[in-house]
Amino acid sequence: INGKWGFIDINGDFVIAPQYENFHLFHFGQNEVKKNDKWGKIDRRGNVIIPFKYDFIGKLSDGLSYIVLDDKWGFVDQAGSFVIPFTYDWAKHFTEGLAPVVIKGKWGFIDKTGKLVIPAKYLSAENFSEGLAAVEVKNRKWGYIDTKGKLVIPASYQKANDFSEGLACVLIKWKYGYIDKKGELIIPAKYDVAIRFEEGTAWVKLDGRNFKIDKNGNEVK
């Protein structure tokens, strides 16, 4: 209403009056919203959990949210209390107890105390999923590390994505395919677009067609 967002219940009645410039979806009973050009966090009744004074706040993930002020990144807990101060040049959310962060231009991983447990030496990094994280190394190729920082799938891909249901989508010679956790190519790299598996199927695009495949690469009707 008048360029502002609010929240209604299932009857269409306003529970939280329109007053926000931007918002996320509610998650664990909380929502990150923007007001007067600053981000804060509210509960389902509109009570302020985190005051509106930050440049951005990420969604709650693994019990913590990243928070940004003056180009520095830190983390707060569900109650809005600071757990990790503004320390990093960039960060992503926590998954499986670890979060990718940027220190002096390189990516590494911290635990929930803020301890750097995997050195900041990567050009880029994705979140951990199913015990592995995709990282970009100095030759600008992507591979996968485990939670100890060991490179368990060699860096040989143009791009690598999160594991889901035991498979990950990777880019090889500008085509997408799927590997397993041993790094074996299970579904050939032939797709122009490919999305992560969910409930046994994944969306792909080939020769201008969008369709689903199963974990054997067969088209699903």
Side-chain angles (χ1 to χ4, degrees):
I1 297 177
N2 296 324
K4 302 291 185 181
W5 295 89
F7 298 90
I8 58 174
D9 61 21
I10 58 174
N11 298 315
D13 298 321
F14 273 105
V15 177
I16 302 174
Q19 55 190 291
Y20 305 112
E21 297 145 19
N22 205 344
F23 66 96
H24 296 152
L25 298 178
F26 272 95
H27 190 57
F28 294 109
Q30 301 180 351
N31 197 356
E32 301 78 28
V33 289
K34 188 177 184 181
K35 186 176 183 180
N36 298 325
D37 207 35
K38 291 293 183 181
W39 284 83
K41 185 177 285 194
I42 59 172
D43 64 18
R44 288 185 177 273
R45 295 184 178 182
N47 298 315
V48 176
I49 300 171
I50 298 176
F52 296 93
K53 61 180 183 179
Y54 299 102
D55 298 328
F56 194 73
I57 302 174
K59 277 185 168 296
L60 188 70
S61 177
D62 218 6
L64 299 177
S65 299
Y66 63 72
I67 191 164
V68 188
L69 182 65
D70 297 332
D71 294 325
K72 287 295 182 181
W73 300 60
F75 290 86
V76 294
D77 63 17
Q78 190 166 354
S81 300
F82 272 91
V83 176
I84 301 172
F86 293 112
T87 305
Y88 309 104
D89 300 322
W90 196 272
K92 296 182 180 179
H93 57 272
F94 271 90
T95 58
E96 302 181 7
L98 299 173
V101 297
V102 174
I103 302 172
K104 296 181 179 179
K106 295 293 180 68
W107 287 85
F109 292 81
I110 59 170
D111 64 16
K112 290 185 177 181
T113 69
K115 179 183 177 182
L116 187 68
V117 294
I118 298 176
K121 61 180 182 179
Y122 303 106
L123 300 180
S124 191
E126 300 294 344
N127 285 94
F128 271 92
S129 62
E130 300 183 2
L132 299 176
V135 293
E136 184 183 14
V137 301
K138 60 183 179 181
N139 66 355
R140 306 205 72 85
K141 294 290 188 177
W142 288 75
Y144 291 86
I145 59 172
D146 62 17
T147 55
K148 303 297 183 182
K150 180 182 178 181
L151 190 68
V152 293
I153 299 178
S156 57
Y157 309 107
Q158 290 167 297
K159 184 67 176 74
N161 297 289
D162 295 346
F163 272 91
S164 175
E165 300 183 5
L167 297 178
C169 177
V170 295
L171 185 64
I172 304 172
K173 295 181 179 179
W174 304 111
K175 294 292 182 178
Y176 289 97
Y178 294 85
I179 62 170
D180 64 14
K181 290 185 179 180
K182 296 179 181 178
E184 295 179 3
L185 191 64
I186 302 301
I187 300 174
K190 62 180 181 179
Y191 302 105
D192 300 313
V193 178
I195 308 300
R196 73 201 309 264
F197 272 89
E198 293 184 2
E199 298 182 355
T201 63
W203 280 101
V204 295
K205 183 176 183 179
L206 179 64
D207 298 330
R209 292 180 58 236
N210 294 302
F211 55 94
K212 282 186 175 182
I213 59 172
D214 62 21
K215 290 186 177 181
N216 295 313
N218 299 316
E219 183 173 351
V220 178
K221 299 296 184 181

